[in-house]
Amino acid sequence: KKYSDHIAVPVSLLKEQFGNKDGEEPVSEWEVVNDATALWVKAKNDISDEDYKNFYQHVSHDFREPLIWTHNRVEGKFDYISLLYVPSEPLFDLYQRESPRGVKLYVQRTFIMDDAEQFLPLYLRFVKGIVDSNDLPLNVSREILQDSAAVSSIRSALTKRVLDTLETLNKDKPEDYAAFWKHFGSVLKEGVAEDFANKDRIAKLLRFSSTHCGNGDDKVSLQDYVNRAPEKQKIYFLIADSYKAVVSSPYLEIFRKKGVEVLLLTDRIDEWLMSYLTDFDGHQMQNVAKGELDLDGAGIARETQMITVH
């Protein structure tokens, strides 16, 4: 029953009933063990949260519950159904970019392949789930998927759908989003460089430590920073190998003195990230350890511009 519920034809199991005490011969009968309806084709109102969670464990091989999911039917130029999950914790191969990843692909409820990576960008490789298309051929191959207009359209729509889901999670359940960021933030950062079309949306989802916070566990968004900063101020940041190193840097002394917030970046991907993230919401990004600081723009007297590091 666990593996056959979505199959469109009845699946029967032979059961044996024993005879009575008088020595009657046992009677065998067939019992239908599947609903013959794929879970994802059902109306959302007919699917319980428990059903969604059980199906996640089936498609992901993860015994934990998912953090959030999105279930959508699209009808138009291309017809398809998607059921995508964001795990509550990363699986073992999250940081191995070469590992198999992707959604399960169905065509008209017929299973085609695992790990169909063409439907989501690499920076969303933590997403699990299924896509069921009515427009692809049953004999579709990975080579055909790469050149398919339908796949390209579905990929773009699913990427936006996942970002929508993360934005909603952040708005409605900030504590759950904080848990998501702790586990998957480093991977999501890859999207700033790899997905130019959604770069601004991804930037709004980024979180960093800051001198505005009391410790390295507290995170702020770029929008939080901009909302607190003067209109023309740059977004100042500093990169180091650890929170202890960055928070004790002498580069921060003058900024603390003048009450200017600095983002504290300690992820190994951050230096690469900031080479692509040069501005946000009209504010230029500025590494306080490199280049000449526009200290007037931060309300800092120009005579304090020189910082000597011993």
Side-chain angles (χ1 to χ4, degrees):
K1 181 173 178 61
K2 178 177 180 181
Y3 294 103
S4 64
D5 258 355
H6 63 278
I7 296 176
V9 296
V11 176
S12 299
L13 180 68
L14 183 62
K15 297 190 67 176
E16 187 175 85
Q17 293 182 339
F18 293 95
N20 58 30
K21 296 180 179 180
D22 296 331
E24 293 181 352
E25 291 294 325
V27 178
S28 298
E29 66 176 17
W30 291 93
E31 179 186 19
V32 176
V33 295
N34 67 324
D35 293 334
T37 303
L39 178 137
W40 59 87
V41 303
K42 295 180 180 180
K44 295 180 183 179
N45 293 339
D46 296 333
I47 308 175
S48 68
D49 285 354
E50 196 64 28
D51 290 335
Y52 277 121
K53 293 175 182 178
N54 288 338
F55 188 72
Y56 164 77
Q57 294 174 345
H58 167 57
V59 299
S60 68
H61 308 294
D62 183 4
F63 65 90
R64 294 160 296 201
E65 293 186 355
L67 181 63
I68 195 171
W69 59 84
T70 175
H71 183 193
N72 298 278
R73 179 191 297 270
V74 176
E75 297 176 341
K77 184 177 180 180
F78 300 109
D79 295 345
Y80 65 91
I81 301 172
S82 64
L83 175 51
L84 305 177
Y85 295 89
V86 175
S88 56
E89 295 185 30
L91 303 182
F92 68 93
D93 59 350
L94 177 65
Y95 297 103
Q96 299 174 16
R97 288 168 59 95
E98 299 79 14
S99 296
R101 47 93 186 178
V103 297
K104 292 181 180 293
L105 174 62
Y106 290 78
V107 174
Q108 300 176 32
R109 288 193 295 178
T110 300
F111 175 70
I112 303 299
M113 68 178 71
D114 280 311
D115 304 322
E117 70 275 6
Q118 293 85 355
F119 289 91
L120 283 170
L122 188 56
Y123 71 91
L124 295 180
R125 59 185 176 273
F126 52 83
V127 175
K128 304 298 179 182
I130 67 97
V131 173
D132 189 348
S133 170
N134 289 330
D135 300 297
L136 297 173
L138 287 172
N139 63 343
V140 67
S141 65
R142 294 187 185 274
E143 290 72 23
I144 293 175
L145 291 178
Q146 291 175 353
D147 300 324
S148 168
V151 172
S152 179
S153 177
I154 295 173
R155 174 189 174 97
S156 177
L158 293 184
T159 299
K160 292 178 181 179
R161 180 66 62 182
V162 173
L163 295 178
D164 286 342
T165 301
L166 294 178
E167 290 169 355
T168 300
L169 181 67
N170 177 53
K171 178 181 178 181
D172 296 343
K173 298 181 178 180
E175 291 184 359
D176 284 352
Y177 185 79
F180 160 81
W181 181 258
K182 178 181 178 181
H183 293 304
F184 302 105
S186 295
V187 176
L188 188 64
K189 288 175 181 179
E190 297 173 12
V192 172
E194 297 176 354
D195 188 356
F196 182 79
N198 292 298
K199 178 179 178 180
D200 292 341
R201 295 189 68 182
I202 299 170
K204 291 180 180 179
L205 291 168
L206 301 180
R207 297 294 182 269
F208 303 99
S209 298
S210 165
T211 55
H212 181 80
C213 304
N215 57 64
D217 294 330
D218 296 329
K219 306 294 182 182
V220 302
S221 69
L222 293 175
Q223 193 62 58
D224 292 333
Y225 187 105
V226 167
N227 291 343
R228 289 190 288 264
E231 183 178 354
K232 296 182 179 181
Q233 182 190 302
K234 293 182 178 181
I235 299 176
Y236 293 102
F237 66 91
L238 183 61
I239 302 175
D241 293 334
S242 67
Y243 180 77
K244 181 178 180 180
V246 74
V247 78
S248 59
S249 171
Y251 285 109
L252 296 179
E253 294 178 5
I254 190 62
F255 290 90
R256 286 198 180 99
K257 181 179 180 181
K258 298 297 182 179
V260 177
E261 184 175 0
V262 178
L263 300 179
L264 308 175
L265 282 56
T266 59
D267 198 339
R268 61 181 181 178
I269 196 177
D270 283 339
E271 188 166 4
W272 177 81
L273 165 70
M274 301 312 288
S275 67
Y276 290 93
L277 187 62
T278 57
D279 64 274
F280 176 81
D281 195 26
H283 295 251
Q284 295 295 310
M285 310 295 291
Q286 174 68 59
N287 188 338
V288 303
K290 295 183 178 180
E292 183 176 343
L293 301 179
D294 180 14
L295 300 176
D296 285 342
I300 303 176
R302 188 171 293 276
E303 59 266 20
T304 64
Q305 182 172 343
M306 297 300 297
I307 301 175
T308 301
V309 181
H310 299 286

